[in-house]
């Protein structure tokens, strides 16, 4: 629906939420082989995000909780990405113990989070401009690839030579990130090369994608290493849509081996936006009896 516009159109997104929410909840209950009567509480995403879509979800959750007289739990989207690492797995060694650090990389956020327990987390580094997912998507756009371009860069990069082109690494203090300079550097790089050869992109797409991906990954992992050195924490997770990137996953495992980290990555389907991560966060808030009253409202932006 959004691809033809080159990005998510908020109004279309909220209308689609309205149209589909009942059918989606029905299908989720059916697929989970359960029914509404067996549900103990309703968790919903309160923030951050597109306000129209958040309002549909929060109003629906409130109505459901009220009609069933069960607790209502609000969830912060970024906290949920982190806690996707705690979704039970057949192999318990795949679940991190506390404290751990999590690099959360999505379309809207890039954060390093220090977690002392499921509900006690602190952001110790974040992007000052674009998010890592945006860096992938904007680079893809410059290359003429459709939205969202992150997964396409990943695919082309697999066939490319990552050392062919060199893009700059920004010098940002502390544990913060910046990706806007990289986007500008890629723009100028492409303009100069296209001047010499009009089919530069078509002839070199895998190498360009591999080189861009390697730079984004090295920016992320250098800061993650710094965070581990500063905190002394060696249980390290990644989360968020960009954690689905194969270059990041491989380099993360390699960096982990070199530095004696215990590394954790959620299952592929729990990296990009999903309801499982909202449910696991709801579960921990349920245990802590961290409930909302019915006057709670969604918000587009919020700290956690
Ligand atoms: O967490 P997410 O699903 O949604 C947000 O909360 O933003 O992240 C979406 C972002 C998009 O920017 C998308 O391009 C990026 O994750 N992404 C990837 C890959 N899969 C998703 N980026 C690079 N490589 C991938 N394989
Ligand atoms: Zn997300």
């Amino acid at each position: 629906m959004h691809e033809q516009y080159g990005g998510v159109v908020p109004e279309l997104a909220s209308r689609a939420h309205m149209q589909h929410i009942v059918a989606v909840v029905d299908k989720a209950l059916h697929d989970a082989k359960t029914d509404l009567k067996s549900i103990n509480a309703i968790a919903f995403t309160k923030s951050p995000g597109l306000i129209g879509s958040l309002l549909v979800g929060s109003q629906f959750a409130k109505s459901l909780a009220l009609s069933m007289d069960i607790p209502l739990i609000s969830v912060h989207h970024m906290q949920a990405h982190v806690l996707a690492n705690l979704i039970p797995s057949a192999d318990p060694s795949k679940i991190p113990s506390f404290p751990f650090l999590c690099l959360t990389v999505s379309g809207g956020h890039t954060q390093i989070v220090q977690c002392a327990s499921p509900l006690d987390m602190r952001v110790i580094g974040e992007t000052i401009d674009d998010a890592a997912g945006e860096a992938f998507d904007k680079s893809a756009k410059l290359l003429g690839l459709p939205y969202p371009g992150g997964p396409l860069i990943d695919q082309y990069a697999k066939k490319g030579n990552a050392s062919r082109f060199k893009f700059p690494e920004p010098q940002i203090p502390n544990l913060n990130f910046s990706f806007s300079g990289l986007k500008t550097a890629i723009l100028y790089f492409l303009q100069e090369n296209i001047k010499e050869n009009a089919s530069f992109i078509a002839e070199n797409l895998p190498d360009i994608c591999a080189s861009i991906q390697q730079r984004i990954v090295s920016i992320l992992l250098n800061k993650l290493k710094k965070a581990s050195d500063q905190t002394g924490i060696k249980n390290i997770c990644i989360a968020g849509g960009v954690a689905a990137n194969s270059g990041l996953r491989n380099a993360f495992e390699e960096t982990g081996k070199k530095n004696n980290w215990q590394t954790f990555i959620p299952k592929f389907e729990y990296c990009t936006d999903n309801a499982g991560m909202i449910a696991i966060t709801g579960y921990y808030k349920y245990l802590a009896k961290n409930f909302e009253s019915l006057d709670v409202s969604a918000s587009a932006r919020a700290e956690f």
Side-chain angles (χ1 to χ4, degrees):
M1 181 192 287
H2 301 286
E3 195 181 318
Q4 58 184 312
Y5 301 105
V8 174
V9 182
E11 184 59 27
L12 293 181
S14 51
R15 285 181 195 197
H17 275 65
M18 292 278 272
Q19 275 162 3
H20 297 295
I21 193 153
V22 174
V24 166
V25 171
D26 274 345
K27 182 163 175 9
L29 289 167
H30 178 264
D31 289 357
K33 299 188 178 54
T34 188
D35 54 23
L36 270 181
K37 282 195 277 319
S38 320
I39 304 292
N40 307 76
I42 306 288
F44 70 97
T45 306
K46 181 181 171 194
S47 63
L50 297 175
I51 191 66
S53 301
L54 292 175
L55 284 170
V56 174
S58 60
Q59 289 306 118
F60 190 83
K62 281 199 252 184
S63 312
L64 213 49
L66 177 66
S67 67
M68 294 167 61
D69 196 22
I70 55 175
L72 178 69
I73 299 170
S74 72
V75 170
H76 191 290
H77 183 82
M78 300 312 293
Q79 184 176 24
H81 268 305
V82 175
L83 295 186
N85 280 285
L86 301 185
I87 292 177
S89 140
D91 176 0
S93 71
K94 295 224 160 82
I95 308 292
S97 52
F98 292 97
F100 64 74
L101 294 181
C102 183
L103 171 71
T104 320
V105 272
S106 74
H109 290 79
T110 300
Q111 300 180 325
I112 299 177
V113 181
Q114 184 171 342
C115 302
S117 71
L119 302 182
D120 179 1
M121 48 179 87
R122 196 162 60 91
V123 178
I124 58 172
E126 62 189 329
T127 184
I128 58 169
D129 42 53
D130 290 350
E134 265 179 300
F136 271 107
D137 296 339
K138 288 181 177 173
S139 304
K141 198 168 183 182
L142 293 173
L143 294 169
L145 299 172
Y147 175 88
L152 292 170
I153 294 207
D154 192 357
Q155 274 170 32
Y156 283 110
K158 285 186 185 142
K159 294 171 268 174
N161 171 5
S163 358
R164 172 96 185 278
F165 304 112
K166 288 266 169 283
F167 296 107
E169 174 154 13
Q171 302 302 318
I172 306 297
N174 308 324
L175 297 173
N176 291 334
F177 301 91
S178 165
F179 289 100
S180 63
L182 178 63
K183 184 187 58 194
T184 314
I186 294 168
L187 175 67
Y188 290 153
F189 162 83
L190 291 175
Q191 283 174 344
E192 268 165 39
N193 281 286
I194 290 167
K195 239 190 273 161
E196 313 263 307
N197 171 9
S199 38
F200 175 75
I201 293 180
E203 285 168 17
N204 298 283
L205 192 56
D207 290 350
I208 303 171
C209 288
S211 304
I212 293 173
Q213 178 169 296
Q214 192 193 44
R215 176 49 80 212
I216 295 174
V217 168
S218 77
I219 293 171
L220 293 171
L221 292 183
N222 287 346
K223 283 294 165 99
L224 192 54
K225 159 98 173 63
K226 194 171 172 186
S228 170
D229 291 348
Q230 276 182 15
T231 57
I233 296 174
K234 284 178 177 282
N235 279 334
I236 320 262
C237 311
I238 54 176
V242 181
N245 180 267
S246 58
L248 177 60
R249 293 168 90 92
N250 294 337
F252 175 59
E253 298 291 4
E254 263 170 48
T255 311
K257 270 192 203 120
K258 249 190 252 161
N259 294 285
N260 287 320
W261 292 350
Q262 298 285 332
T263 53
F264 305 89
I265 312 179
K267 268 169 80 181
F268 199 77
E269 62 266 37
Y270 298 136
C271 283
T272 49
D273 285 353
N274 65 88
M277 69 188 199
I278 307 302
I280 189 85
T281 310
Y283 167 74
Y284 284 105
K285 289 191 138 186
Y286 182 79
L287 295 183
K289 297 197 167 42
N290 193 335
F291 303 141
E292 292 288 354
S293 60
L294 287 172
D295 57 4
V296 61
S297 188
S299 67
R301 298 190 167 272
E303 306 293 322
F304 67 81

